[in-house]
Amino acid sequence: MTEYDILRQQLQKARADAGLTQSQLAQLLDKTQSYVSKIESGERQIDIIEFMRWCECCGANAVTVLRKVLPPAAKK
């Protein structure tokens, strides 16, 4: 599983934890339901601004989400 796969899972989890359907999140983002679906399925990638807005709409802390995706860097 790639880091991007984990990110997609975390975005879907944030949406579900917020009790939002894809359509409801899409409305908050001023996007279409297919936009949300394509990001969650991996058909479309998300940029950093979109990621921040997604987290905000879901009430998720973006840093916390990213920490679940990227392990801490090893100290030298």
Side-chain angles (χ1 to χ4, degrees):
M1 181 174 289
T2 68
E3 290 166 340
Y4 201 81
D5 291 332
I6 297 167
L7 174 62
R8 289 186 302 104
Q9 286 181 344
Q10 290 301 315
L11 291 173
Q12 187 173 18
K13 182 179 183 319
R15 177 183 58 76
D17 288 351
L20 297 171
T21 64
Q22 288 183 346
S23 295
Q24 290 168 327
L25 177 58
Q27 186 174 9
L28 292 171
L29 294 168
D30 196 28
K31 301 286 186 180
T32 64
Q33 178 273 329
S34 66
Y35 164 86
V36 174
S37 176
K38 287 177 181 179
I39 288 173
E40 289 185 355
S41 71
E43 191 175 330
R44 183 188 189 289
Q45 291 193 343
I46 190 170
D47 70 28
I48 189 67
I49 303 303
E50 293 168 330
F51 168 76
M52 297 296 290
R53 288 196 64 224
W54 184 299
C55 290
E56 181 180 336
C57 289
C58 293
N61 182 295
V63 173
T64 301
V65 172
L66 285 177
R67 283 189 176 139
K68 293 177 181 176
V69 175
L70 300 170
K75 294 184 180 180
K76 292 183 179 186

